[in-house]
Amino acid sequence: MIRFMLKNKSLPILLTGLMGVLGGCALSAPKHLMDVQPGEHFYLNQPITIPTGKTRQFIQFGELSGSHFDHSEPHCRIEMYQMKAHDTVIRPQKFAISRVQLGEEEIALNRQSVQLAANEYGSYPNNQLVLAYDQQRPETMDLVHMYLKSESQPNVYRLTCAGALSDGNLMDAPRSYRPQRKKINQILGRIGNIRAN
């Protein structure tokens, strides 16, 4: 096998390309998909308290909403790296956005019925039961993670903003779309905003 690797000149090129693809997973979202980019800033305008035993605080309609939010509307959440045994206050400041990553979050499986059906025709050995699912696309939220950097508050992890929960139904648009800068700033209201400088 070692001889093969030494003789095959295309293998190093293949491995280099594979490493590039895998390394690309950590890169930020391109500008044509997300108008918030690394090097921009999240300005937090008021203190946010993260309760004891929690790592995040939700923001919706320009207000803090605690640990609950309306899944049928876009929201943001500010997150910390580590959970604390006491309330933690995130102080107002300008946070650098170091990376922007797009994602999708599944909230719950939306299988309306699960049926066990016996094999009536004997085509399966030993009369096995067949598990049949009523398959429907699960409800998900399209989101954007904006990773935050601060020397004075290193436990602040990221600001995540998401569209409304949707199973792909066109009636959920545009609320279900991944929020861009303008929508993110609307969600945050007076609490904060994203700016290029």
Side-chain angles (χ1 to χ4, degrees), residues 117-171:
N119 176 11
E120 297 177 9
Y121 302 105
S123 59
Y124 292 96
N126 302 324
N127 288 328
Q128 293 175 346
L129 292 178
V130 178
L131 187 61
Y133 292 100
D134 176 13
Q135 296 202 356
Q136 185 175 0
R137 185 183 183 276
E139 291 186 304
T140 60
M141 293 185 299
D142 289 337
L143 53 80
V144 54
H145 297 298
M146 292 158 281
Y147 294 85
L148 306 175
K149 291 287 183 193
S150 167
E151 290 185 15
S152 61
Q153 299 186 83
N155 197 30
V156 177
Y157 178 40
R158 66 187 179 189
L159 177 69
T160 296
C161 295
L165 192 63
S166 175
D167 63 0
N169 188 326
L170 294 176
M171 297 296 289

Side-chain angles (χ1 to χ4, degrees), residues 88-103:
T88 303
V89 177
I90 301 175
R91 298 180 309 280
Q93 78 163 84
K94 177 171 90 170
F95 293 88
I97 298 173
S98 63
R99 184 164 56 104
V100 178
Q101 182 181 14
L102 304 182

